[in-house]
């Protein structure tokens, strides 16, 4: 395209990027330049979030760790593809993390009993499960965690359940419907409505 | 199927679609800006959900991952050429070894051609002109100063720019964007359109960034409005292709900035609902 090789356009684009980049986004930009220290910093900020989700989706600790390593390998190698005007760094990393973990369990699923897999998975975020027991080193993460949990409390039980089964259970909406024994359209609506409300409550809007 | 593809962004963001549905949605996404926006927002929500289950990973995992990156970084620093990957160089880490078949790109579902932010050439900066009395309502804002507007219209304006009689003043827009004290207004409109106005009070200049504004239409133009409690104060007229010069006041930061489509030449009062509006 005509954008290529236009130094003023590139320089303006860079100004746009730098303006809207937070700490994690800057780290990704530095990683794109091969900065290993920035990679360590980013791992220390996002590692627990990645590990938490992957560990939810993959029960086997060893497999889960493998996937976490794959995720950060991806981050290291593909940081230059990150577009800070299109996503936050966390969102970008979590897309990779969630999809890799889900791909892993769906591959496994081919050779296993679906019901068994579903039955053993604990997807509840609220309540006294392990998610609250781990020390989280960063205060901002703890504050954010409380905010998210409060937002989840605001959903109906059905909405929360459907979203949790999908995101933390790694189920497709068809699998969620089968598991809950409710019509497909019902699950879709619960997920959509719940996500819409979370978007509003959490103040997520493309800046 | 009876369900609309428009409804699938939240499910796609949760990786909760069946494979054939995901493929259909990805094809649809390429041409649907509102769905691209909803997907971005839904992914931000998913990223926040993830925070709810954050757990400290084992220290050994951290060591492994960081050592692996460091080894890979050393490889990058090594002189280019066959020798650098020979026996003298660090052993390529298995973890960092290319595995492109399995690579997952978070942006893969949003084609670059449909993501205007990837097109820096779609930037048109309108040059400041002297304040004129014809903008009298703007006097109510106080001291006048020139405002530069940069209108970013994805790839649409790239072609028109070459025939633009006014050189593009990217330097002015850059200066605004790089002012650490500048204030950002987040604008939203119907159908998920978005934009931002970055206002450097110090420089008395503002920049409008939006990838959501298509051609305003024949005989029509975009116009900026400043709203501070009372009636909207008319701001600069922005040509359909962003090429019309203008002058506007800049003083106290208005509470709200809005963009409407007006008849060419602009209006003293908005004649339509805003296509974008928002506050700092």
């Amino acid at each position: 395209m005509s954008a290529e090789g236009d130094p003023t356009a590139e320089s303006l684009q860079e100004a746009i990027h730098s303006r809207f980049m937070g700490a994690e986004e800057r780290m990704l930009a530095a990683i794109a330049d091969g900065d290993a220290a920035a990679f360590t910093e980013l791992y220390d900020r996002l590692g627990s979030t990645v590990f938490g989700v992957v560990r939810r989706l993959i029960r086997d600790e060893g497999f889960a760790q493998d996937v976490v390593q794959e995720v950060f390998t991806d981050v290291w190698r593909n940081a230059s593809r990150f577009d800070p005007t299109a996503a936050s760094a966390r969102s970008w990393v979590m897309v990779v993390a969630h999809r890799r973990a889900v791909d892993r369990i769906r591959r496994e699923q081919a050779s296993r009993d679906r019901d068994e897999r579903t039955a053993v998975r604990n997807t509840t975020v609220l309540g006294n499960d392990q998610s609250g027991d781990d020390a989280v080193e960063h205060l901002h993460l703890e504050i954010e965690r409380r905010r998210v949990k409060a937002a989840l409390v605001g959903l109906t039980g059905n909405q929360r359940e459907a979203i949790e089964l999908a995101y933390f259970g790694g189920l497709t909406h068809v699998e969620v419907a089968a598991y809950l024994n409710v019509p497909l359209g019902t699950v879709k609506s619960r997920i959509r409505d719940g996500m819409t409300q979370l978007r509003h409550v959490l103040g997520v809007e493309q800046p | 199927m009876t369900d609309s593809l428009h409804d699938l962004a939240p499910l796609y963001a949760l990786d909760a679609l069946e494979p054939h549905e995901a493929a259909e949605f990805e094809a649809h996404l390429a041409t649907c800006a509102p769905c691209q926006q909803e997907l971005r927002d839904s992914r931000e929500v998913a990223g926040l959900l993830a925070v709810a289950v954050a757990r400290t990973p084992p220290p050994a995992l951290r060591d492994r991952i960081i050592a692996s990156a460091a080894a890979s970084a050393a490889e990058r620093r090594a002189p280019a050429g066959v020798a650098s990957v020979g026996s003298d160089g660090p052993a390529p880490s298995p973890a960092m070894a290319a595995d492109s078949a399995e690579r997952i790109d978070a942006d893969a579902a949003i084609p670059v051609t449909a993501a205007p932010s990837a097109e820096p050439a779609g930037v048109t900066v309108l040059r400041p002109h002297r304040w004129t009395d014809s903008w009298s309502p703007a006097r109510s804002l106080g001291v006048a100063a020139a405002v530069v507007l940069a209108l970013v219209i994805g790839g649409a304006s790239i072609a028109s720019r070459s025939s633009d009689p006014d050189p593009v003043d990217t330097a002015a827009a850059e200066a605004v964007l790089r002012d650490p004290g500048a204030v950002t207004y987040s604008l939203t409109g119907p159908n998920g359109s978005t934009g931002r106005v970055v206002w450097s009070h110090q420089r008395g200049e503002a920049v409008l960034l939006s990838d959501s504004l298509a051609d305003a239409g024949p005989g029509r133009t975009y116009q900026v409005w400043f709203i501070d409690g009372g009636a909207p104060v008319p701001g600069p007229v922005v040509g359909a292709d962003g090429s019309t010069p203008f002058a506007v006041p800049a003083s106290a930061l208005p509470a709200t900035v809005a963009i409407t489509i007006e008849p060419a030449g602009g209006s003293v009062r908005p004649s339509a609902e805003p296509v974008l509006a928002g506050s700092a």
Side-chain angles (χ1 to χ4, degrees), chain B residues 5-75:
Chain B
L5 287 168
H6 288 296
D7 292 335
L8 299 181
L11 285 93
Y12 185 82
L14 299 175
D15 290 321
L17 291 177
E18 294 290 324
H20 70 278
E21 295 172 314
E24 273 180 64
F25 179 72
E26 283 167 10
H28 164 73
L29 194 62
T31 58
C32 184
C35 281
Q36 290 172 18
Q37 184 62 48
E38 195 182 1
L39 177 59
R40 286 172 195 167
D41 290 347
S42 296
R43 282 174 164 174
E44 296 294 336
V45 169
L48 281 165
L49 289 176
V51 171
V53 297
R55 298 179 68 176
T56 306
L61 177 61
R62 180 183 187 276
D63 294 345
R64 208 157 69 225
I65 288 173
I66 288 167
S68 187
S72 177
E75 280 176 46

Side-chain angles (χ1 to χ4, degrees), chain A residues 2 13-14 16 37 42 47 49-50 58 76 79 84 93 97-98 101 109 119 139 149 153 156 166 188-189 198 204-205:
Chain A
S2 54
Q13 186 67 46
E14 191 198 304
I16 292 169
L42 189 74
T49 306
V50 171
I58 300 174
W76 174 251
V93 171
H98 193 265
Q109 175 182 350
L139 183 63
K149 287 193 174 185
V153 169
T156 69
K188 268 189 185 168
S189 304
L198 288 174
V204 171
E205 52 174 347

Side-chain angles (χ1 to χ4, degrees), chain A residues 45-53 55-56 90 124-154 160 164 168 198 201-202, chain B residues 45-57:
Chain A
R45 287 180 73 107
L46 296 180
S48 59
T49 306
V50 171
F51 181 70
V53 163
R55 194 67 184 75
R56 278 297 178 126
R90 176 174 54 211
T124 309
V125 176
L126 305 170
N128 295 324
D129 62 340
Q130 73 269 26
S131 71
D133 298 336
D134 286 292
V136 176
E137 47 297 30
H138 298 298
L139 183 63
H140 73 267
L141 198 58
E142 184 52 37
I143 290 167
E144 205 137 51
R145 182 147 95 176
R146 287 179 192 182
R147 196 164 75 89
V148 175
K149 287 193 174 185
L152 282 167
V153 169
R160 191 164 58 236
E164 287 177 349
F168 300 117
L198 288 174
V201 172
L202 293 169
Chain B
V45 169
L48 281 165
L49 289 176
V51 171
V53 297
R55 298 179 68 176
T56 306

